[in-house]
């Protein structure tokens, strides 16, 4: 099936990569959202994502598509991590990457700093600030904590293009539409500080953080990204259903802050409905495009049943492996090309309609939303 001629891609949600050589099992471990070792006798390469890696990545390293995983890994070692990374990122054809800096390592190795990632990828790179990371680093007494977090977030977003929350991992997306009372926030902050300032999981503090992000983003004109849908085993999947955010979306609507629902799968139709129902909500397919493998066109079609064409954005959510950038970009181009070819053949749209839709999702929506 045809791929669309969409040379410029704006990846509006991604992470940096490891440029060091990885052992084969460590590399394969980044082809799954699980943080556990694979079951005996199995490999992450034996998956829809693994098939996609073997389809799109070997040609970038001078091999035929679909070579066995062992041959691909041997060629990668022969080239060295730096050269393989450069080739894979170049083949992805990315114009701009909006990088979430909340993660700093993968497979026990540091991720490239933004400047080095920009050099390796050849893309323009902008930062997305992780909300919970900023809050966990803020230093203050319990009484001063709410204001300290607000000031820390405002300072951290200088030069950034968005704020991202992972509240889906920490407590779930059933966010009350009311702001927590200050006395409750101070009490919860005191308990957290006395516990040793570990990972923020208290719902009162998390909900306060989300409203703080809305206020800061409203003042700076920034979107707020929220992880929704599947992820690693730290997440309880049904609590990451984006429809749980409906009350919060209604309550935050008057702020005008765009809320960007990342990933969504298997609740991508709920995310698409929210994007249709509320002017402030946007959505993307994210890493689902890679994990869906041969089914990518079908899942894209399910999102576009309801999502307005001006509200769906492209992203890879690539993390750790440069392969995930190339796979995400290639899967998007191929899947959307296949879908729109069927639409044109069925008379559902013209060629001009299809090309405009593709450019909106590939780059133009992100450029408008993030003021790039």
């Amino acid at each position: 099936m045809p791929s669309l001629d969409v040379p410029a891609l704006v990846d509006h949600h991604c992470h940096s990569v490891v440029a060091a050589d990885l052992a084969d099992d460590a590399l394969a471990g980044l082809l799954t959202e699980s943080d556990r070792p694979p079951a005996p006798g199995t490999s992450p390469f034996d998956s829809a994502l693994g098939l996609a890696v073997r389809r799109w990545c070997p040609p970038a390293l001078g091999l035929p598509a679909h070579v066995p995983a062992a041959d691909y890994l041997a060629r990668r070692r022969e080239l060295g991590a730096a050269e393989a990374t450069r080739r894979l990122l170049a083949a992805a054809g990315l114009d701009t990457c909006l990088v979430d800096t909340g993660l700093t390592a993968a497979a026990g190795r540091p991720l490239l700093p933004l400047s080095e990632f920009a050099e390796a990828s050849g893309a323009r790179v902008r930062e997305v600030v992780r909300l919970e990371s900023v809050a966990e680093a803020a230093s203050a007494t319990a009484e001063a904590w709410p204001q300290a977090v607000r000031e820390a977030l405002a300072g951290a977003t200088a030069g950034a293009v968005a704020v991202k929350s992972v509240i889906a991992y920490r407590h779930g997306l059933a966010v009350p539409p009311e702001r927590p009372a200050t006395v409750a926030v101070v009490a919860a902050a005191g308990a957290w500080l006395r516990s040793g300032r570990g990972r923020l999981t208290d719902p009162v503090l998390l909900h306060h953080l989300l409203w703080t992000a809305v206020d800061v983003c409203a003042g700076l004109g920034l979107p707020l990204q929220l992880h929704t849908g599947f992820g690693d085993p730290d997440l309880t999947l049904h609590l990451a259903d984006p429809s749980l955010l409906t009350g919060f979306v209604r309550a935050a609507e008057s702020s005008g802050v765009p809320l960007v629902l990342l990933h969504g799968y298997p609740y991508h139709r709920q995310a698409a409905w929210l994007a249709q129902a509320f002017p402030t909500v946007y959505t993307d397919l994210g890493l689902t495009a890679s994990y869906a493998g041969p089914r990518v066109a079908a899942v894209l079609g399910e999102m576009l049943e309801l999502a307005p064409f001006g509200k769906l954005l492209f992203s890879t959510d690539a993390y750790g492996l440069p392969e995930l950038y190339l796979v995400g970009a290639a899967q998007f181009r191929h899947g959307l090309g296949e879908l729109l070819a069927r639409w044109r053949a069925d008379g559902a749209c013209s060629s001009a309609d299809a090309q405009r839709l593709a450019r909106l999702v590939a780059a133009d929506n992100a450029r408008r939303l993030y003021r790039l």
Side-chain angles (χ1 to χ4, degrees):
M1 298 297 289
S3 293
L4 285 173
D5 179 20
V6 184
L9 292 176
V10 174
D11 190 343
H12 87 108
H13 174 62
C14 52
H15 308 270
S16 189
V17 299
V18 173
D21 289 303
L22 295 173
D24 289 355
D25 58 348
L27 188 150
L30 293 173
L31 298 180
T32 171
E33 282 295 294
S34 179
D35 55 6
R36 274 72 164 168
T42 71
S43 167
F45 273 100
D46 288 331
S47 64
L49 174 56
L51 285 177
V53 168
R54 290 176 47 232
R55 176 184 191 177
W56 302 111
C57 296
L61 304 188
L63 296 173
H66 303 298
V67 296
D71 294 348
Y72 176 77
L73 293 170
R75 174 60 173 163
R76 203 182 193 280
R77 286 193 299 272
E78 178 187 357
L79 289 170
E83 177 63 13
T85 295
R86 186 192 66 77
R87 291 191 185 194
L88 291 162
L89 291 175
L94 300 167
D95 176 84
T96 304
C97 293
L98 310 187
V99 181
D100 171 6
T101 53
L103 298 176
T104 58
R109 301 296 187 91
L111 301 180
L112 287 178
L114 292 190
S115 59
E116 295 181 31
F117 175 72
E119 182 178 357
S121 65
R124 292 179 292 173
V125 173
R126 303 291 300 276
E127 182 182 11
V128 175
V129 171
R130 180 77 68 93
L131 173 63
E132 290 79 9
S133 298
V134 171
E136 287 167 351
S139 179
T141 63
E143 291 74 15
W145 192 81
Q147 184 61 29
V149 167
R150 180 185 295 267
E151 293 173 358
L153 183 60
T157 50
V161 294
V163 173
K164 179 194 173 185
S165 171
V166 290
I167 191 173
Y169 278 93
R170 303 300 182 87
H171 187 71
L173 296 178
V175 180
E178 304 84 12
R179 295 171 182 253
T182 300
V183 63
V185 174
V186 170
W192 177 67
L193 291 169
R194 288 191 298 273
S195 72
R197 299 175 57 89
R199 187 171 184 251
L200 270 175
T201 59
D202 183 281
V204 172
L205 296 183
L206 292 171
H207 298 156
H208 171 75
L209 280 181
L210 207 57
W211 280 110
T212 299
V214 168
D215 294 340
V216 171
C217 287
L220 297 175
L222 300 179
L224 174 59
Q225 299 179 343
L226 297 113
H227 177 101
T228 68
F230 80 112
D232 66 43
D234 187 37
L235 177 144
T236 301
L237 184 57
H238 73 277
L239 298 179
D241 181 338
S243 66
L244 295 172
L245 284 166
T246 304
F248 172 74
V249 169
R250 290 194 188 102
E253 189 173 7
S254 62
S255 72
V257 172
L259 304 176
V260 190
L261 309 180
L262 305 173
H263 322 315
Y265 187 86
Y267 308 111
H268 50 291
R269 280 173 158 148
Q270 285 93 316
W273 168 75
L274 285 164
Q276 183 189 77
F278 295 96
T280 54
V281 175
Y282 294 75
T283 189
D284 82 344
L285 189 62
L287 78 171
T288 305
S290 298
Y291 276 81
R295 290 277 297 165
V296 60
V299 181
L300 268 168
E302 289 168 355
M303 292 206 77
L304 288 169
E305 289 167 357
L306 284 180
F309 301 157
K311 306 286 282 303
L312 181 64
L313 291 86
F314 162 76
S315 76
T316 62
D317 193 27
Y319 161 64
L321 291 181
E323 280 87 349
L324 298 179
Y325 276 100
L326 175 51
V327 167
Q331 286 280 104
F332 168 75
R333 287 187 172 106
H334 179 82
L336 193 58
E338 180 180 323
L339 176 68
L340 294 179
R342 290 204 299 268
W343 285 14
R344 293 196 304 271
D346 193 45
C349 69
S350 68
S351 295
D353 290 329
Q355 193 62 44
R356 178 173 178 272
L357 188 163
R359 291 189 179 278
L360 284 173
V361 179
D364 290 352
N365 290 340
R367 290 189 177 119
R368 182 181 71 251
L369 178 63
Y370 297 100
R371 302 179 184 179
L372 300 176

